[in-house]
Structures are given as C-alpha cells and as structure tokens.
Amino acid sequence: MIWYPYTQMKTMEMPYKIVNAEGVYLYTEEKKLIDSISSWWSVIHGYGHPELNEALISQANRFSHVMLGGLNHEPAERLSKKLEEFLPGDLNYTFFSDSGSVAVEVALKMALQYAMNRGESKRTMILALEHAYHGDTFKAMEAGDDEDYHFVLKAYGPSPHVVHIPTEIDALEDAFARYHDRLNCMLAEPLLQGAGGMRMYDISFLERARELCDQYGVLLIFDEVATGFGRTGHRFVADLVQPDILVLGKALTGGYLGHAVTVANQKVFDAFYSDDPSHALMHGPTFMGNPLACSVALRSISIFERENYIEKIRKIEEITRRELAGFFDPRIEEIRIMGACVCVEVKEEKILAGYQRFAYERGVFARPFLRYLYAMVPYIISEEELIRVLDTMKAWFRKK
C-alpha cells in the first residue's frame, strides 16, 4: 500500500490515477488535465519531451549508475563543467545529491564545517527566515519555520541553533548585531518562499544580507530548489545577489529524475582543501551524480537556454497580471504574482475546501494548501491553456 505525503491516510480522498502525460497535460482514464503546478514545480518543459527522453534512453543504453566514490563518468564531469559556466561568479564547485532536501542538508553541513575547519568553533548557529521551508529531513526542518510541516520537532523544543526573522531589513540588522559572532550562515529561499505560503519579498533584503554576511564573515546560502531556473522571472536570484552556496533541484532535471546540487564558491571550497583528512566533507549519497540524472539535466539546461525560457516566463507573468487585473472577492486576502508563480491567498482555509475537485471537473489539476490557491505552470504552456487555469481560479469565487 502506498503511504501518501502530507495527508491523513484514514480520511484522504483517493488520488487521481495518471495513465499518461504529454506536454502540459496529465491523463486519467477519463480526464485530460492541465498540470497547473508542474508536479511540485519541477516539470518546466512539460511531460514526454522528446529530447529529454532521448537523453535518458541514450545514457541508459550505456550504463544507468555508478558511484562517485572512487569512480567518475562523463555526464557528471560535463554537468559540473556546465554549471561552472552557467552560474554566476565563482560558484564553481558542485556537490551532487539526490533531492533538494538532502542538498540543503549538505549546504548546512558545509557551512558548519567551514567554520570548524577555520577554527571558529563558536559559529554553530543558522540565521533563517520566518515561514521558511527547506525540505523534510531533520536539519532542513530545523532551519524551516512551518509547523504545518514540521510539528514533529516540537518533541525537541525550540532549537538553540536557529534564529528566524521576518523579511524586514531592521530585523536582519538586529539579528546580525546580536548573533554575528555565532552565525556560520544565513539560509534563505530568495524572493519567493514556496511551501511557506508563496510569500514574496524585495531584493533589497537580500542585498543587505550580502553586505552583512561579508562584514561579519557569515556564509550566505540560497535555497533555489524552487526558485531556480526562472520561476521568479530571473534565471536564478543568484544572478542578482550572489550567495556563497547555491542549492538547486526540482527543475534541474526538468522534473524527470530526483537530483540536486549544492554549489560552493572558491572561499568555501578552499576551507576544505587541505592535507588534513579531517577537513574533508564527509557526505556521500549513493546516487549522487547519477549519470541518467546528469544526462537529462544537461539536455534540460540546453533547452532552457536555446528556447529563451526567460522570455516565455515574462509572457506568463504578463498574461497572468492581465487576466487577474481588477479581480476581487471579499474572501481573498491578497493576490501575489512573480514570474511564473501566482498565489491567491484567502482569509480562511475552509474557503478552498473542494477546489481540487472543482478544478478537476474543468480539466485542471491543482493542489491548493492551507489558505493558498496557486499555480506554477510548465513554461511551455500556451496562452489559451494558461487562461484556462486562471479562469478556473476565478470561477471558484464567482460560483458561490
């Protein structure tokens, strides 16, 4: 029996069984559904993309996996080299893992060991954001700030190793004034906080964070698992403000395979590069650098560049703003739009009860959570298909 995520198994509705998928569409035995959330924000090229299929099959015909411990292979070498060229500044050192959550764990371990390797044993704390979500492994949960996902940590009580602040510059400056000599890193989902409620904030906060991290010798980590590859309207927020460590996942492989990277700059790498064996990073997921995942990621990045996806994302944002301009309902708290993300936050969670079935009947797959009705569509979506998603969202409020 499948144990499903984020749901009470005893009372849940049965999930929709998918029998095929192509382009922006998911197919059940009876319905054709536009996937408005890109399978948790990852399937940016849509389903069944012939080039991604070919990359996967071609590599599988050679070999599907070898470990990176004591071995190497061309797809991992090529992807590491491509990321070195593709990412801004000196984000040149790629550590592979098998999921975004694990990649965040690696980033936090890097930051802590960076301080320890430099003899800064007091730097054991993380500065993180309120409403943060970084995954469901334990250190990622500790750095997160959402009891709807992480209530299990109540068993441990408040962490003495994490400070959470709102995305306000005054709070940021106060936290550095209080804790700067004990912080090893600041961790943020830049500009767009996903599972914490699709919350959006201004780049000036991150610009000030970069200044303070430089001033006090604190590493800046961007969790761009959700925001990377264009979701905010930028290739990466790291193009605007460069972190010391960047975490990517989800769209890295176009949603084909679970894989992620933690990419460090020269300063971080140099703290581990030593004749001292104890300075090595002791981490190694079995499927890190999986050749299937690396091959499909390389082709995914190639498509992203060749097809000018940033222009596609600008068009998605333009259409979304146009279609929702002037839309109002007293049950709505706020409508937020950034890049290829739109969120309708309602005032009470019960207002969205039944929306998933409502959307299904109209040919749209959606999965609102708590008070947040949102869409993060595949970038290949047509204007007509996008309008259908947005019209379905508006129709929910007009029917009552």
Side-chain angles (χ1 to χ4, degrees), residues 56-98:
L56 199 63
I57 293 166
S58 177
Q59 180 58 46
N61 285 334
R62 291 191 290 274
F63 57 93
S64 293
H65 182 63
V66 295
M67 62 189 283
L68 279 190
L71 300 173
N72 194 8
H73 54 80
E74 184 185 3
E77 288 182 330
R78 288 177 57 215
L79 181 54
S80 178
K81 180 64 175 174
K82 180 61 183 177
L83 289 171
E84 188 175 339
E85 298 167 353
F86 191 56
L87 296 176
D90 63 342
L91 289 166
N92 294 336
Y93 298 93
T94 297
F95 191 95
F96 294 103
S97 58
D98 41 11

Side-chain angles (χ1 to χ4, degrees), residues 48-301:
H49 195 290
E51 289 187 55
L52 299 182
N53 291 353
E54 190 279 330
L56 199 63
I57 293 166
S58 177
Q59 180 58 46
N61 285 334
R62 291 191 290 274
F63 57 93
S64 293
H65 182 63
V66 295
M67 62 189 283
L68 279 190
L71 300 173
N72 194 8
H73 54 80
E74 184 185 3
E77 288 182 330
R78 288 177 57 215
L79 181 54
S80 178
K81 180 64 175 174
K82 180 61 183 177
L83 289 171
E84 188 175 339
E85 298 167 353
F86 191 56
L87 296 176
D90 63 342
L91 289 166
N92 294 336
Y93 298 93
T94 297
F95 191 95
F96 294 103
S97 58
D98 41 11
S99 76
S101 180
V102 172
V104 170
E105 296 277 339
V106 171
L108 294 174
K109 182 185 275 190
M110 274 184 186
L112 178 59
Q113 190 173 346
Y114 170 86
M116 299 303 108
N117 284 0
R118 289 160 50 91
E120 298 179 284
S121 58
K122 287 175 30 178
R123 291 188 179 273
T124 59
M125 296 180 68
I126 300 163
L127 180 61
L129 302 183
E130 292 179 356
H131 310 292
Y133 176 85
H134 297 289
D136 297 330
T137 52
F138 261 64
K139 196 66 180 178
M141 284 197 295
E142 187 180 38
D145 181 48
D146 195 324
E147 290 187 357
D148 292 300
Y149 297 97
H150 303 150
F151 63 91
V152 68
L153 292 185
K154 286 182 178 178
Y156 293 88
S159 172
H161 302 298
V162 183
V163 176
H164 290 103
I165 60 169
T167 52
E168 299 166 2
I169 290 177
D170 287 349
L172 176 69
E173 292 176 340
D174 180 66
F176 271 91
R178 289 170 179 261
Y179 305 108
H180 62 86
D181 60 338
R182 287 174 280 168
L183 294 174
N184 61 64
C185 71
M186 177 177 172
L187 171 64
E189 300 159 277
L191 295 187
L192 171 63
Q193 295 181 276
M198 304 299 163
R199 298 169 188 271
M200 302 171 187
Y201 62 94
D202 191 75
I203 192 66
S204 60
F205 178 84
L206 297 174
E207 291 170 340
R208 184 61 178 139
R210 178 71 275 174
E211 292 171 352
L212 290 166
C213 285
D214 288 342
Q215 180 179 344
Y216 292 113
V218 176
L219 297 182
L220 181 60
I221 303 173
F222 281 180
D223 174 358
E224 293 219 52
V225 171
T227 62
F229 296 97
R231 189 57 68 178
T232 65
H234 310 283
R235 286 190 334 149
F236 306 98
V237 183
D239 288 332
L240 308 180
V241 174
Q242 189 178 321
D244 300 294
I245 300 173
L246 177 65
V247 183
L248 302 174
K250 290 190 183 293
L252 175 66
T253 65
Y256 265 58
L257 289 168
H259 214 61
V261 291
T262 305
V263 188
N265 67 9
Q266 189 72 51
K267 175 176 68 177
V268 173
F269 181 80
D270 284 348
F272 292 80
Y273 195 70
S274 168
D275 291 324
D276 186 345
S278 71
H279 284 190
L281 179 62
M282 300 302 289
H283 202 97
T286 299
F287 293 102
M288 67 180 298
N290 173 263
L292 297 174
C294 290
S295 297
V296 78
L298 280 160
R299 192 66 61 88
S300 176
I301 293 171

Side-chain angles (χ1 to χ4, degrees), residues 332-366:
I332 294 174
E333 184 70 33
E334 186 179 38
I335 297 175
R336 297 187 286 275
I337 301 167
M338 178 183 287
C341 175
V342 56
C343 177
V344 178
E345 179 180 349
V346 298
K347 293 179 178 177
E348 296 181 88
E349 189 173 334
K350 65 182 181 181
I351 292 167
L352 298 179
Y355 180 80
Q356 188 173 60
R357 170 56 63 172
F358 177 86
Y360 177 85
E361 295 299 334
R362 285 153 183 79
V364 174
F365 174 66

